[in-house]
Amino acid sequence: MIYTVTLNPALDRAVNVERLMDDDTIRVISEKHYAAGKGIDVSRVIKELGGQSVALGMIGGYDGLYLEGLLINAGVMSQLIKISCETRTNIILKETATGKQYVISAKGPDVSPVEIGQFYNHMLSITDMEYLILSGSLPPGVSPNIYGQLILAGRNKGAFIFLDADNRALEESIGFLPTGIKPNIHELSRLVGRELKTEDEIIDACKSLHSKGLKYILASRGRKGLLFSGDGMIIKAVAPPVDAESTVGAGDSAVAGFILAHSLGKSLPECVRLACASGTATAMTPGTELCHREDVEKIDTEVELTIL
Ligand SMILES: Nc1ncnc2c1ncn2[C@@H]1O[C@H](COP(=O)(O)OP(=O)(O)OP(=O)(O)O)[C@@H](O)[C@H]1O
Ligand SMILES: [Mg+2]
């Protein structure tokens, strides 16, 4: 089974208003709610593409229960530890008159040592973990070294482990050697401590990470697609140009495509192809909406793969 981890999930409220005004009541035209957070995005895309995973995480309060219910209704399996503080809410505000979008992201609830301990022990008790996907930011009270410990726990279970994190959460856990990472170009630049612009610079950065024992790097480059390095191969995937609406969640979708294809026994080039198609299909959807299966299947046939 594929397990995703979201330690700081969110209830996303996507609100449409005609125009923001500072001196009058602003009426909401429409409002949609989504279960969000990077690991949860991965689980939702895996489900959309016909696969199954279990979303692990911590939720609190009414909004946390609401989030859990959204996942149940979407057919996404979850095992969420209950915490005492309320799950965060992010507001994605769209001004329909101008098309402008504002994302107001909350930092998340305080998590006590007892609660993170409960989460950790729950993870230790899982017996069918084949894949472990660790994604996203950490809530207050959880140390950046948590991912390193989860990587060790996953490795003891023989899981294929993928990490998608930034800054200290990435730096402090990379030495524990997840099987692979999915940095975007800015995250990879911060990780190696130099700005990476060209393909050759990215490939050099990947080589230096391989020399430290990291097996796979799936570097995402927005509309320039993906560059994968591992098993002695460099694989480049580029999708045809699309009308990008919002790239929020594109990276999570790329992780979902890669892991789902890998779990189905596909070759690495095919995994990178589905990653690229899934990311691109999510870039085509508005706001925080994720990809649709029909778009992914269509783009999958159009992705240009180069094996260097
Ligand atoms: N504008 C775009 N047009 C086409 N494809 C895109 C676009 N943006 C993203 N993609 C696809 O999605 C993949 C992941 O996107 P990106 O590099 O933006 O990830 P990210 O920065 O980690 O995103 P996030 O963390 O918000 O999920 C890209 O490698 C590419 O395949
Ligand atoms: Mg990302």
Side-chain angles (χ1 to χ4, degrees):
M1 179 56 79
I2 301 169
Y3 285 84
T4 65
V5 171
T6 314
L7 292 173
N8 199 11
L11 182 65
D12 274 6
R13 293 175 189 263
V15 176
N16 286 342
V17 300
E18 193 188 341
R19 194 180 287 278
L20 291 176
M21 295 170 292
D22 60 6
D23 57 353
D24 203 356
T25 303
I26 305 165
R27 305 267 172 223
V28 171
I29 303 172
S30 62
E31 184 169 344
K32 266 188 174 177
H33 299 158
Y34 299 93
K38 299 183 98 48
I40 286 176
D41 285 353
V42 174
S43 279
R44 286 175 53 209
V45 171
I46 287 175
K47 173 70 185 157
E48 174 68 17
L49 300 182
Q52 193 53 272
S53 69
V54 179
L56 301 175
M58 297 181 289
I59 52 164
Y62 181 82
D63 282 348
L65 293 176
Y66 191 124
L67 185 159
E68 186 175 43
L70 288 173
L71 288 178
I72 292 170
N73 281 340
V76 174
M77 293 198 287
S78 63
Q79 294 169 9
L80 302 168
I81 301 294
K82 308 298 181 289
I83 60 173
S84 60
C85 291
E86 183 94 11
T87 289
R88 68 188 168 134
T89 297
N90 294 329
I91 308 285
I92 298 97
L93 188 66
K94 181 143 186 185
E95 213 183 30
T96 56
T98 59
K100 281 187 188 164
Q101 180 172 284
Y102 304 85
V103 179
I104 304 165
S105 179
K107 69 180 165 63
D110 279 309
V111 174
S112 76
V114 171
E115 291 162 343
I116 193 68
Q118 281 173 333
F119 175 86
Y120 181 68
N121 279 298
H122 175 71
M123 201 184 120
L124 291 183
S125 72
I126 293 171
T127 54
D128 63 348
M129 184 180 284
E130 292 162 301
Y131 289 85
L132 175 63
I133 319 303
L134 304 167
S135 301
S137 67
L138 302 170
V142 177
S143 152
N145 66 36
I146 181 77
Y147 280 146
Q149 295 170 69
L150 298 183
I151 290 167
L152 286 182
R155 178 148 353 99
N156 282 337
K157 296 174 188 298
F160 180 111
I161 304 162
F162 230 68
L163 174 68
D164 180 5
D166 195 6
N167 295 319
R168 283 185 64 202
L170 174 60
E171 285 157 26
E172 298 205 6
S173 46
I174 194 92
F176 290 86
L177 296 178
T179 318
I181 58 173
K182 203 297 295 159
N184 64 30
I185 216 60
H186 311 292
E187 291 159 349
L188 189 58
S189 296
R190 281 191 282 275
L191 181 65
V192 296
R194 57 183 187 277
E195 200 182 339
L196 305 170
K197 285 198 187 123
T198 66
E199 227 167 84
D200 285 343
E201 286 169 345
I202 299 170
I203 293 170
D204 273 350
C206 291
K207 279 187 189 151
S208 73
L209 291 170
H210 289 317
S211 71
K212 293 179 183 154
L214 191 69
K215 199 164 180 221
Y216 296 146
I217 298 126
L218 182 63
S220 69
R221 311 173 70 199
R223 67 187 156 73
K224 290 187 186 159
L226 289 158
L227 214 150
F228 171 88
S229 177
D231 283 1
M233 267 187 280
I234 305 284
I235 304 165
K236 216 175 113 179
V238 184
V242 296
D243 286 331
E245 279 266 350
S246 156
T247 61
V248 178
D252 309 332
S253 306
V255 172
F258 183 90
I259 293 296
L260 180 64
H262 195 274
S263 72
L264 296 172
K266 306 272 189 209
S267 66
L268 285 172
E270 289 308 312
C271 297
V272 181
R273 179 195 291 279
L274 189 60
C276 183
S278 308
T280 301
T282 286
M284 288 163 58
T285 60
T288 51
E289 214 176 299
L290 300 170
C291 55
H292 301 299
R293 189 172 180 171
E294 316 80 75
D295 295 332
V296 176
E297 284 170 354
K298 179 170 177 293
I299 298 168
D300 198 55
T301 61
E302 299 166 349
V303 169
E304 198 182 309
L305 271 190
T306 318
I307 303 178
L308 308 170

